[in-house]
Amino acid sequence: MAEASDSAQLICPSEQVLEGGKGVRFAVSAFGDKATGFVVRYGGQVYAYLNRCAHVPIELDWAEGEFFESSGLYLMCATHGAIYVPDSGFCAGGPCKGGRLRPIQVREEHGNVYWTPDEFIKALAQ
Ligand code: FES
């Protein structure tokens, strides 16, 4: 995977992450397990989270990259319909009450989207 100047990891070109459109998944190691993160665009900004519902720790998307519900205002878990605020990850309704998606640091640079590993969400070993 291509790397930026620091430990940032390339996810994809910016143009692949469209406003309110499909999210782009990427592989991570989360708390020592293989997992996926995802990035979406909302209000012009990119936001990334661990792809793990706060209700039951399973992936949110019912079809690959489908994270937004039909209004485009919330991210939705396909399993029991928990909805999350796209720019904070906080639960806005459903069985995730009081929960939050785990944010992943993400940024755009030179037309690409990169995520940055932290203490618990790491890049998979090459
Ligand atoms: S697993 Fe996501 S709402 Fe239940």
Side-chain angles (χ1 to χ4, degrees):
M1 196 171 270
E3 293 195 16
S5 49
D6 53 17
S7 60
Q9 307 284 311
L10 176 67
I11 302 175
C12 63
S14 290
E15 72 230 23
Q16 277 185 25
V17 190
L18 299 177
E19 182 73 28
K22 273 193 171 189
V24 176
R25 295 162 52 108
F26 53 94
V28 299
S29 165
F31 308 94
D33 293 327
K34 264 189 168 180
T36 63
F38 68 95
V39 59
V40 293
R41 189 178 299 279
Y42 179 76
Q45 300 292 314
V46 287
Y47 297 93
Y49 298 100
L50 181 63
N51 192 2
R52 188 174 286 178
C53 188
H55 177 219
V56 177
I58 53 178
E59 295 189 345
L60 278 75
D61 45 340
W62 55 275
E64 186 164 326
E66 299 288 353
F67 294 100
F68 280 104
E69 42 73 69
S70 56
S71 75
L73 294 176
Y74 296 102
L75 305 173
M76 189 172 80
C77 175
T79 303
H80 309 111
I83 55 172
Y84 297 93
V85 180
D87 55 2
S88 67
F90 283 113
C91 176
C96 55
K97 254 193 164 49
R100 185 185 184 189
L101 296 175
R102 169 59 159 77
I104 296 177
Q105 276 187 61
V106 68
R107 71 167 191 266
E108 293 190 279
E109 201 175 292
H110 308 306
N112 287 313
V113 183
Y114 297 89
W115 71 278
T116 304
D118 60 35
E119 196 180 348
F120 301 109
I121 312 286
K122 297 182 183 305
L124 286 176
Q126 301 293 305

